[in-house]
Amino acid sequence: MKINKAELQTALEKVKPGLASKELIEQSTSFAFLGDRVVTYNDEISISHPIKGMEGMQGAITAKALYDFLARVKQEEIDLSLEKNQVVIKAGRSKAGLIFEQEVRLPIEEIGQIGKWKKLPEDFRDGLKLCHPCCSRDMSRPVLTCVNIVDDRIEAANSFQIIQYRMKKKLPGKGFLIPASAAKELVRYEIQELSLGESWGHFRTPNGTIFSCRTVEGGFPEIEAFLRMDGSEFSFPEAMKEALIRADVFARKESAADDPPVVTVRVKGGGLELSSKNEYGWFQEKMKTRHKEADFSFTVGIEFLISLFDKLQNCVITPEKIGFSGENWKHVIAVVSNEE
């Protein structure tokens, strides 16, 4: 069968985040071909995307071998054929055979039947993108490792911060919790529709990609009281945005890829200090503020703070917390005195 290589690569790229790093589940490091779709599954998420010209294929191929070989092929069109237990790929003068397991053993049936699709609020993805970095990494409280999505709200919290995003319209159907690790991948897709099952949520893009992820049972804590702010206004200096861009170099840690890069801000006696560090080194920069009496410190995701400067430079300070807010979102961070 003749296949457009670029179209096949696009399909594989769409489902690649659903691969497992290690094969703890059989075939979880493989691309599974099921009729007119290619599927991946790693127990937390499963992604499928339509493919053209391979409707007759039913089986699994080790992902790395297929993906890496196609990346090195220059021809626009390749020829695929099934020969016993392998897929033979011809590309120009090159020919390769990949082991093909004709039985798909991924437990895809666990995700259940996908029901009726419902349209998501247009700003759902924006809210999810803003909130998921604020989730906890502490598995002793599983609900705080998730994004809470209910009615018109998207919420997240950990031991030192809370964030809430208000969508322009309510979510269709009941609320649910999805792990931050799944949300981090989900926001990369142009999702427009939702179908919610008993223990899996399914999201669909206009080009037919279906992103499925496990939902989590549990009650998310009430956060409205913590979002109320009645304090004094604080303005960050103009020079802070450029300093944050420099601090970002030392905020990113290769050894903790799942943890968002953070920066620490210390304000005291009319001065402000930014600091960040990783396994390669550290960064520190000082600047002046017009708030002589302010005395506090906080740590926050550096990407959030950089993006904040495109919208506003003011916040509200109380002895216990610092509050940022926009038209449809609120973000509260616990602060400490520099004497503590």
Side-chain angles (χ1 to χ4, degrees):
M1 61 188 84
K2 300 290 185 180
I3 304 294
N4 182 288
K5 188 200 74 166
E7 290 181 359
L8 177 56
Q9 283 181 302
T10 297
L12 299 183
E13 188 69 33
K14 293 289 186 184
V15 303
K16 194 179 178 186
L19 294 168
S21 56
K22 296 181 180 180
E23 195 175 67
L24 299 178
I25 298 172
E26 197 171 10
Q27 296 182 341
S28 59
T29 58
S30 296
F31 294 121
F33 295 88
L34 298 171
D36 61 348
R37 302 185 73 85
V38 58
V39 183
T40 53
Y41 175 98
N42 66 12
D43 197 42
E44 184 177 86
I45 64 176
S46 178
I47 309 173
S48 73
H49 186 80
I51 50 175
K52 295 181 181 179
M54 299 175 66
E55 288 81 1
M57 285 189 65
Q58 184 91 8
I61 303 173
T62 300
K64 180 172 174 54
L66 177 59
Y67 190 85
D68 289 354
F69 179 69
L70 292 176
R72 290 163 173 78
V73 169
K74 296 181 179 180
Q75 282 71 22
E76 294 182 1
E77 189 177 70
I78 59 176
D79 185 271
L80 270 69
S81 61
L82 296 177
E83 298 181 9
K84 295 183 179 179
N85 65 338
Q86 61 181 343
V87 170
V88 176
I89 304 175
K90 295 179 182 178
R93 294 191 297 269
S94 300
K95 188 175 180 181
L98 301 174
I99 294 174
F100 184 68
E101 298 180 82
Q102 296 186 24
E103 180 186 357
V104 176
R105 292 184 290 276
L106 285 172
I108 298 172
E109 68 280 354
E110 284 190 8
I111 71 173
Q113 294 293 317
I114 298 177
K116 184 178 179 181
W117 291 104
K118 297 180 180 179
K119 189 172 179 60
L120 284 166
E122 290 183 2
D123 54 348
F124 174 84
R125 188 161 157 254
D126 293 335
L128 195 62
K129 189 181 296 186
L130 181 69
C131 293
H132 81 79
C134 298
C135 291
S136 174
R137 268 63 180 170
D138 183 0
M139 290 306 298
S140 65
R141 296 191 68 187
V143 295
L144 293 186
T145 67
C146 299
V147 180
N148 184 46
I149 304 162
V150 61
D151 295 331
D152 65 341
R153 308 190 312 274
I154 302 177
E155 304 168 334
N158 59 28
S159 59
F160 64 89
Q161 63 183 331
I162 298 169
I163 191 165
Q164 182 187 81
Y165 182 95
R166 290 274 183 174
M167 295 179 284
K168 295 176 182 177
K169 293 184 178 180
K170 286 189 176 183
L171 185 80
K174 64 179 182 178
F176 58 96
L177 292 158
I178 60 172
S181 53
K184 179 181 178 181
E185 298 295 340
L186 181 59
V187 296
R188 300 176 184 178
Y189 294 80
E190 298 286 342
I191 50 174
Q192 292 186 358
E193 296 174 297
L194 166 70
S195 177
L196 195 61
E198 290 187 8
S199 56
W200 286 76
H202 313 282
F203 303 84
R204 187 166 67 174
T205 71
N207 63 6
T209 304
I210 297 176
F211 186 109
S212 302
C213 63
R214 287 189 184 274
T215 55
V216 175
E217 294 291 330
F220 197 80
E222 291 291 334
I223 64 171
E224 291 293 341
F226 298 100
L227 293 173
R228 299 189 192 104
M229 295 292 296
D230 184 17
S232 57
E233 188 174 279
F234 180 89
S235 299
F236 291 103
E238 289 278 354
M240 188 166 165
K241 183 173 182 178
E242 291 298 324
L244 284 168
I245 293 172
R246 291 186 283 273
D248 188 48
V249 175
F250 295 93
R252 300 183 181 275
K253 301 178 182 179
E254 288 189 12
S255 60
D258 290 335
D259 291 334
V262 298
V263 63
T264 296
V265 181
R266 294 182 178 88
V267 176
K268 187 173 183 179
L272 183 149
E273 177 188 285
L274 292 178
S275 61
S276 60
K277 62 180 179 179
N278 60 15
E279 57 264 60
Y280 304 115
W282 55 272
F283 172 86
Q284 186 181 84
E285 186 164 339
K286 297 180 179 180
M287 61 201 74
K288 292 182 179 180
T289 79
R290 59 183 178 85
H291 302 274
K292 302 294 184 182
E293 303 301 320
D295 182 351
F296 62 89
S297 300
F298 66 94
T299 299
V300 67
I302 194 168
E303 292 175 349
F304 165 77
L305 211 50
I306 290 173
S307 66
L308 183 71
F309 275 76
D310 294 329
K311 306 177 184 72
L312 72 158
Q313 290 173 242
N314 298 334
C315 60
V316 176
I317 294 286
T318 76
E320 298 83 24
K321 56 191 178 181
I322 179 170
F324 302 92
S325 62
E327 181 182 356
N328 54 356
W329 60 271
K330 295 179 180 179
H331 189 172
V332 173
I333 307 165
V335 300
V336 296
S337 166
N338 287 303
E339 303 302 321
E340 295 181 30

